[in-house]
Amino acid sequence: MKKQIVILTLGLALLISCNTSMVKYNTFNPGQEWQDDNGVHINAHGGGILYFDDLYYWYGEHKIEGEIGNTAQVGVHVYSSKDLYNWKDEGIVLSVDSTDSNSEIAKGCILERPKVIYNEKTKKFVMWFHLELKGQGYAAAKSGVAVADKPTGPFIFIESVRPNKGVWPVNVQEFHKLPVSDTIKSKYCGGRGCLPAHVDSVNILGRDFENGQMARDMNLFVDDDGKAYHLYSSEENSTLHIAELSDDYLSHSGRYARFFSNRYMEAPTILKTNKGKYYLIASDCTGWDPNAARSASADNIFGPWKELGNPCVGQDSSTTFHSQSTYILSIQGKNDAFIFMADRWAPKNPIDGKYIWLPIYFEDDKVRLKWIDKWELSVFKE
Ligand code: GAL
């Protein structure tokens, strides 16, 4: 009798655990909890997607509970999916170093917005991320790079850099090359509103010429010709840089340009239409608090870029529906079908952050985002 009860209880427990772990999605539900194949809320914040061998891979910051979760305690998490609705936990692909506190990626550093691209020539998976050194707040403003043989890692950390050291951008202006005053040299700023004047009158680009440019919020983009670009908020976040990567994607080629100076564009995301037009969606610079997104378009990745205003329409458009951009996902096998991916941050308990995925509409040569509670991939035409 006792044995039967034990078996029955075990069976029931198994049934319950199977049930809770078998949420099968066939819609996107922006802002709701989104469970993986184990029934756990997906933990891939500030994320981005790689499509490889018929699978989508979602890489993002693994957050933990409590405010300490705003620093990197674990590393970068990846999930895989065939249909974009249901995601399988594939584990941690880049771990922070919990043994060597002098490591650049020591546990407790800040490691944000990881993105992974595949290099056809070297057959390697290359990850770039925004890196802040442990105990230095957001002062370091560096970019980390790591490499792997498989999309599921493990990724091996190579180095961190301040991009484009000793190189002027293709659209440098003569005043950038003039000597920089000592007050600007010593001043650390750290965010919007801290520069005493327009960035071009204090010349942060010139200040950082010798040691490399600051790089915080970032993204990667691989163009049709295989050239990859690193987009990052630079010059005390005031100005966006678009920088070409080397052929192996492991460093910067030295060809870069600066855009939207003094507009404090953060969280840059980018898409290219089949007709060859580039669109950018980014945010303003207000930390974890959401703000109104910005958009822009260009015929060439190195500009000129034309600002098109807030792409969001309707209720909550002034806060990007309480979220901040992180990536634009191009859907395979469909024509100009893109998903805007954003984070609804929860800085008090970062593991709780939710994801906003919305279809991107094109209207009058502009990108548009509208809130939808629930939607399916069928909103896109084939
Ligand atoms: C945001 C940025 C995030 C994170 C945060 C820290 O503006 O987009 O990635 O760096 O600031 O306050």
Side-chain angles (χ1 to χ4, degrees), residues 112-113 138 217 266 287-288 324:
E112 293 180 340
R113 300 184 177 272
Y138 279 85
D217 278 13
E266 280 203 321
W288 300 118
Q324 186 184 27

CSV table of all heavy atoms in Angstrom, one decimal, residues 112-113 138 217 266 287-288 324, ligand 1:
chain,number,residue,atom,x,y,z
A,112,GLU,N,27.2,44.0,-21.1
A,112,GLU,CA,25.9,44.3,-21.6
A,112,GLU,C,25.8,44.1,-23.1
A,112,GLU,O,26.8,44.2,-23.9
A,112,GLU,CB,25.5,45.7,-21.3
A,112,GLU,CG,25.3,45.9,-19.8
A,112,GLU,CD,24.9,47.3,-19.4
A,112,GLU,OE1,25.2,48.3,-20.2
A,112,GLU,OE2,24.4,47.5,-18.3
A,113,ARG,N,24.5,43.8,-23.6
A,113,ARG,CA,24.2,43.8,-25.0
A,113,ARG,C,25.0,42.9,-25.9
A,113,ARG,O,25.5,43.4,-26.9
A,113,ARG,CB,24.1,45.3,-25.5
A,113,ARG,CG,23.2,46.2,-24.8
A,113,ARG,CD,23.0,47.6,-25.3
A,113,ARG,NE,22.0,48.3,-24.6
A,113,ARG,CZ,20.7,48.3,-24.9
A,113,ARG,NH1,20.3,47.6,-25.9
A,113,ARG,NH2,19.9,49.0,-24.2
A,138,TYR,N,30.6,52.9,-15.0
A,138,TYR,CA,30.6,52.9,-16.4
A,138,TYR,C,31.7,53.7,-17.0
A,138,TYR,O,31.6,54.2,-18.1
A,138,TYR,CB,29.2,53.4,-16.9
A,138,TYR,CG,28.1,52.4,-16.8
A,138,TYR,CD1,27.4,52.2,-15.7
A,138,TYR,CD2,27.8,51.6,-17.9
A,138,TYR,CE1,26.4,51.2,-15.6
A,138,TYR,CE2,26.8,50.7,-17.9
A,138,TYR,CZ,26.1,50.4,-16.7
A,138,TYR,OH,25.1,49.5,-16.7
A,217,ASP,N,26.5,51.3,-25.3
A,217,ASP,CA,25.4,50.6,-26.0
A,217,ASP,C,25.8,50.2,-27.4
A,217,ASP,O,26.3,51.1,-28.1
A,217,ASP,CB,24.2,51.4,-26.0
A,217,ASP,CG,23.4,51.3,-24.7
A,217,ASP,OD1,24.0,50.8,-23.7
A,217,ASP,OD2,22.2,51.7,-24.6
A,266,GLU,N,21.2,56.0,-27.9
A,266,GLU,CA,21.6,54.7,-27.2
A,266,GLU,C,20.9,53.5,-27.9
A,266,GLU,O,20.0,53.7,-28.7
A,266,GLU,CB,21.3,54.8,-25.7
A,266,GLU,CG,22.3,55.6,-24.9
A,266,GLU,CD,22.3,55.1,-23.5
A,266,GLU,OE1,21.2,54.9,-22.9
A,266,GLU,OE2,23.4,55.1,-22.9
A,287,GLY,N,19.3,56.1,-19.0
A,287,GLY,CA,19.5,54.9,-18.1
A,287,GLY,C,18.5,53.8,-18.3
A,287,GLY,O,18.1,53.5,-19.4
A,288,TRP,N,18.1,53.2,-17.2
A,288,TRP,CA,17.1,52.1,-17.2
A,288,TRP,C,15.7,52.6,-17.5
A,288,TRP,O,14.8,51.9,-17.8
A,288,TRP,CB,17.1,51.4,-15.9
A,288,TRP,CG,18.4,50.7,-15.5
A,288,TRP,CD1,19.1,51.0,-14.4
A,288,TRP,CD2,19.1,49.7,-16.2
A,288,TRP,NE1,20.2,50.2,-14.4
A,288,TRP,CE2,20.3,49.4,-15.5
A,288,TRP,CE3,18.9,49.0,-17.5
A,288,TRP,CZ2,21.2,48.5,-15.9
A,288,TRP,CZ3,19.8,48.1,-17.9
A,288,TRP,CH2,21.0,47.8,-17.1
A,324,GLN,N,13.1,49.5,-24.2
A,324,GLN,CA,14.3,50.1,-24.9
A,324,GLN,C,14.8,49.1,-25.9
A,324,GLN,O,15.0,47.9,-25.6
A,324,GLN,CB,15.4,50.5,-23.9
A,324,GLN,CG,16.6,51.2,-24.5
A,324,GLN,CD,17.7,51.5,-23.5
A,324,GLN,OE1,17.9,50.8,-22.5
A,324,GLN,NE2,18.4,52.6,-23.7
B,1,GAL,C1,20.9,52.2,-20.5
B,1,GAL,C2,21.6,51.3,-21.4
B,1,GAL,C3,21.7,49.9,-20.8
B,1,GAL,C4,22.4,50.1,-19.5
B,1,GAL,C5,21.8,51.2,-18.6
B,1,GAL,C6,22.6,51.4,-17.3
B,1,GAL,O1,20.8,53.5,-21.0
B,1,GAL,O2,20.9,51.2,-22.6
B,1,GAL,O3,22.3,49.0,-21.6
B,1,GAL,O4,23.8,50.5,-19.8
B,1,GAL,O5,21.7,52.4,-19.3
B,1,GAL,O6,22.0,52.5,-16.6
